[in-house]
Amino acid sequence: MSDNPTPSRPAAVDAEGRNTAADMNTAPGKDTAPGTGTAPGTHTTAGKGAAPENAAAPESATAPDKGTEAPARRPRRRRPRFSVERGWFPPLGNKGRIALVASLLTGVLTHGYHLFRYPLYLTDEGIYMQRAWSLVRETSLSPYTYDYDHAPLGWITLAGWVFPLPKQFETFGNAINTGRFLMLLVHVVSVYLLFEVTRRLSGSVLAATVTSFLFNVSPLAVYFQRQVLLDNLMILWLLLSLFMLLRREVTIRSVFGGGLALGIALITKENAIFFVPSFMYLLYRRVKGSASSRFTSTLWPFAAIAPIGAYVTYALLKNELLPSGFDFDLNNPPADHVSLLYTLWWQLNRSQGTLFSHTGLLQTSWLVRDKFLLIAGVIAMVMCLWIGVRDRRRNLGFLIAGTLAFGYAFYLVRGSVVLDFYVTPLIPMFALNIGLIIDRLLKGSFASRFMRGAHSLTRVAVPSFVAVLLLVSPASGYLVHTNTEGVTQIADQYQSKINLTGMQHAQIAWVRKHVPPNSRIIMDDDLWGELHDVRPFYPYAHSHWNASSDPDVRDKLFKKRWQNVDYIIMSNKMRKSIMTNNSDGRENWILQALRNSSRVWSETQGNIKLEIYRVQ
């Protein structure tokens, strides 16, 4: 598909609508030879008193009479209107470049400041860095049995980032810090992609700026996008896929690149599948009616399926695609080998309580961190869907933005198991919907003749005023918040006095000073890299998850006897995790070891508590 084709230029006409003499003499017709103003086979002869062909015409001959009307002006070429479907959107311009640079710098500031101190190292961060460590050190997907709980491209990316660094996992202090620096780079690239995607869906730099602002400063975004999570890598690939599909021209390269990026997102984290319908519809609208529509419609799914095919082929070659005897009984997991399809079936059948209960994540975690983004995002999503469905031809951008947010919101509320950080991919989608709606409302407000004079200035001033309110209001928690003692202070993510990860560094320091390296340790995954990649090594330190489920650790090292445990290193909320994972009694022996132990170290900060127990 090409950009706006140049319209044919109409012939000049006189006042009565007839072609002018100049056009009649120069335009080739049925009885004239091309390139001449005469009929073929005739000769022009200078008549009596006629000037020679090359002679200059006298001045009086060229000057129009007073009564002669001048030829009509050549019509100006109309600029193409904005169209997502045809790839017509205004150029970025100087103001757009300034807004983009400001958005990128804001992202570096909000996500880079306090990066290695806040928030506390998370269990899942330790798991992903542990598996990246296994790839770099042992060339395997996991130091334990890989059970296909997640597709592996996320920690393959982490391993590819770590491998060329001068100190590898300790380049930025420890393994998780090294992963977090990559998350900062991922966020900055995601800001650029989100800015451009928003601009191309809306045709507005203002909408792109509002979207990037929310994506940068939302406490939800700062909290989760600093962490080493597969969701952040998935967002990057999803935005890249959208960016490729929203190029001015739909070429083979852009279609293949967009499909491949989506496939990579799917094998980074499977949740990306809930965005696929929106991508398919956008592709259909962009290639509809083009000469290559059939080819591009086939190329895109092929490129998207290729990475998934490689993942399935890996499982097939290891004889781990199907469970033994084709048995998918969830009450009797396969004992002889793990299975990709069995794990997918198990994940599809997991369930938990609703998000809307008073103990659900919506009330206890997400709304506490950012009420504005979630509430305004839901309202904006509904408005985008309404605007897009009413006129799908003209408002394709609204429809795509609304369906992207709706698809993932449906995944979160459908009733399956949802963890705290699963909200992360919803943040840029809600920010996108809010940006589009704010721009639409301001355009409607300034359409009146009375406001046209202040249009340009006010369209920037109104969102800026709202942004300042969000930043300075303690109720929003964006820059300042009210603590548990009722004191207004800088928000935790920017509070220089808060050093949550310092508690974990102190915990590790105590272990290295007082615990022998050959001790058998039960811990959480957040400390795994520190104890296995930094001398002295602790080869018998394992997480309670693997100690209770991996046969090599459970049956060979600990033999399911609490007497074989020397130390238990407790992370924040680890006791709750053990209880949650013990529905079938698999961690009873670990709980018994905890009951037969004494606390030898403890540190508390706010509602965060870390401990170390020596088993008697």
Side-chain angles (χ1 to χ4, degrees):
M1 295 176 61
S2 62
D3 288 342
N4 180 38
T6 305
S8 58
R9 183 177 300 164
V13 294
D14 61 11
E16 296 180 4
R18 298 186 298 268
N19 288 345
T20 60
D23 290 317
M24 293 176 65
N25 289 337
T26 58
K30 183 172 65 175
D31 296 327
T32 59
T36 68
T38 60
T42 62
H43 300 276
T44 56
T45 307
K48 186 178 181 179
E53 187 176 356
N54 294 329
E59 189 174 310
S60 59
T62 59
D65 296 336
K66 291 183 178 181
T68 304
E69 295 188 14
R73 290 183 178 179
R74 185 173 297 168
R76 297 177 62 185
R77 182 181 300 176
R78 295 181 60 185
R79 295 180 63 185
R81 295 191 303 171
F82 167 71
S83 173
V84 176
E85 190 171 6
R86 299 188 180 186
W88 294 346
F89 47 86
L92 185 60
N94 291 332
K95 292 182 179 179
R97 293 187 183 93
I98 294 172
L100 175 57
V101 171
S103 298
L104 295 174
L105 292 177
T106 302
V108 172
L109 178 63
T110 57
H111 285 63
Y113 180 74
H114 220 226
L115 175 66
F116 299 143
R117 295 186 173 191
Y118 178 91
L120 202 70
Y121 295 140
L122 189 70
T123 300
D124 289 74
E125 292 185 278
I127 292 174
Y128 303 139
M129 294 309 301
Q130 166 198 124
R131 295 183 177 183
W133 178 93
S134 182
L135 275 168
V136 174
R137 299 283 188 259
E138 302 175 344
T139 64
S140 62
L141 291 179
S142 175
Y144 304 100
T145 302
Y146 174 52
D147 58 1
Y148 298 92
D149 54 340
H150 284 303
L153 192 62
W155 57 87
I156 291 175
T157 303
L158 292 170
W161 155 251
V162 166
F163 183 77
L165 295 178
K167 295 183 179 180
Q168 294 192 333
F169 290 94
E170 281 70 55
T171 300
F172 294 92
N174 60 46
I176 296 182
N177 279 354
T178 303
R180 284 191 175 185
F181 190 83
L182 175 62
M183 294 301 105
L184 174 61
L185 301 180
V186 166
H187 176 75
V188 173
V189 177
S190 298
V191 169
Y192 169 77
L193 294 173
L194 184 61
F195 186 98
E196 281 296 291
V197 164
T198 307
R199 188 175 69 88
R200 297 178 185 190
L201 287 175
S202 65
S204 169
V205 170
L206 176 65
T209 306
V210 171
T211 300
S212 301
F213 171 81
L214 293 173
F215 187 53
N216 282 326
V217 304
S218 166
L220 265 178
V222 173
Y223 184 83
F224 289 116
Q225 287 166 357
R226 289 181 174 191
Q227 298 176 356
V228 186
L229 298 174
L230 303 181
D231 307 73
N232 294 325
L233 295 170
M234 180 186 75
I235 289 171
L236 172 68
W237 293 112
L238 285 172
L239 291 174
L240 179 60
S241 181
L242 265 179
F243 178 80
M244 298 297 289
L245 290 180
L246 290 170
R247 303 266 315 245
R248 289 190 182 273
E249 295 187 8
V250 180
T251 62
I252 293 176
R253 183 181 300 178
S254 64
V255 170
F256 183 81
L260 184 63
L262 180 61
I264 293 174
L266 285 166
I267 64 169
T268 298
K269 194 162 186 182
E270 300 86 345
N271 302 354
I273 196 170
F274 290 91
F275 296 103
V276 171
S278 298
F279 282 75
M280 294 176 65
Y281 183 70
L282 176 60
L283 175 69
Y284 163 74
R285 289 290 299 273
R286 291 232 56 194
V287 304
K288 179 182 177 182
S290 67
S292 60
S293 61
R294 180 173 298 180
F295 176 74
T296 52
S297 298
T298 305
L299 178 64
W300 184 83
F302 170 79
I305 293 173
I308 303 172
Y311 182 41
V312 173
T313 302
Y314 169 83
L316 183 63
L317 292 175
K318 294 195 66 177
N319 194 30
E320 294 175 349
L321 180 63
L322 295 170
S324 300
F326 205 70
D327 184 7
F328 286 89
D329 185 4
L330 296 176
N331 296 320
N332 297 295
D336 54 346
H337 66 79
V338 295
S339 167
L340 169 60
L341 295 183
Y342 181 89
T343 303
L344 291 176
W345 178 248
W346 171 74
Q347 289 180 339
L348 289 173
N349 284 274
R350 292 193 301 170
S351 62
Q352 69 171 22
T354 176
L355 285 176
F356 302 101
S357 66
H358 67 281
T359 58
L361 290 174
L362 184 65
Q363 296 287 340
T364 59
S365 176
W366 298 346
L367 285 174
V368 171
R369 290 192 174 95
D370 195 349
K371 295 183 179 70
F372 173 81
L373 181 73
L374 295 178
I375 296 174
V378 171
I379 296 172
M381 176 187 72
V382 173
M383 294 178 68
C384 282
L385 288 172
W386 181 70
I387 293 172
V389 171
R390 282 188 64 196
D391 192 344
R392 292 189 294 272
R393 184 180 64 85
R394 293 174 53 188
N395 296 318
L396 178 59
F398 286 88
L399 185 59
I400 295 299
T403 54
L404 285 170
F406 178 80
Y408 197 78
F410 169 77
Y411 161 70
L412 293 178
V413 303
R414 79 192 197 284
S416 183
V417 172
V418 175
L419 301 180
D420 200 7
F421 52 83
Y422 281 17
V423 73
T424 307
L426 194 61
I427 298 170
M429 303 309 165
F430 272 176
L432 170 62
N433 281 261
I434 295 171
L436 264 63
I437 291 299
I438 288 179
D439 183 69
R440 178 70 170 247
L441 292 176
L442 290 175
K443 283 180 179 177
S445 301
F446 300 135
S448 64
R449 182 178 302 176
F450 176 75
M451 296 295 293
R452 285 177 186 172
H455 186 174
S456 178
L457 177 62
T458 313
R459 284 193 66 201
V460 175
V462 172
S464 300
F465 178 72
V466 175
V468 171
L469 284 181
L470 284 173
L471 290 175
V472 302
S473 173
S476 69
Y478 275 43
L479 185 59
V480 296
H481 74 117
T482 303
N483 62 18
T484 55
E485 299 176 355
V487 178
T488 300
Q489 61 181 20
I490 299 295
D492 291 348
Q493 59 267 30
Y494 309 119
Q495 177 59 263
S496 59
K497 295 181 180 180
I498 292 181
N499 185 10
L500 299 184
T501 60
M503 301 171 63
Q504 292 164 306
H505 296 318
Q507 191 178 40
I508 284 291
W510 193 94
V511 170
R512 294 195 181 282
K513 185 176 181 181
H514 298 92
V515 178
N518 61 348
S519 299
R520 290 165 293 188
I521 299 172
I522 300 291
M523 61 175 189
D524 211 343
D525 286 291
D526 57 297
L527 303 180
W528 200 96
E530 288 270 27
L531 296 180
H532 287 261
D533 197 61
V534 179
R535 295 182 182 275
F537 303 135
Y538 288 78
Y540 305 123
H542 300 283
S543 73
H544 67 96
W545 303 94
N546 292 300
S548 62
S549 58
D550 191 290
D552 289 337
V553 179
R554 180 190 62 204
D555 301 331
K556 296 180 180 180
L557 177 63
F558 293 105
K559 301 178 181 179
K560 295 181 68 174
R561 291 172 52 86
W562 68 266
Q563 293 89 345
N564 293 331
V565 181
D566 297 320
Y567 288 87
I568 300 178
I569 305 175
M570 298 289 289
S571 66
N572 190 45
K573 299 182 180 180
M574 177 173 157
R575 192 187 300 265
K576 181 180 178 181
S577 297
I578 293 176
M579 299 300 294
T580 303
N581 195 45
N582 195 42
S583 58
D584 56 357
R586 67 174 63 188
E587 299 203 26
N588 280 337
W589 61 277
I590 298 177
L591 291 172
Q592 191 173 0
L594 194 58
R595 288 191 292 268
N596 288 275
S597 62
S598 58
R599 187 170 62 188
V600 294
W601 181 89
S602 177
E603 185 168 337
T604 302
Q605 185 171 331
N607 60 351
I608 297 174
K609 187 176 184 179
L610 306 181
E611 300 168 301
I612 299 176
Y613 290 86
R614 180 187 293 117
V615 181
Q616 303 299 326

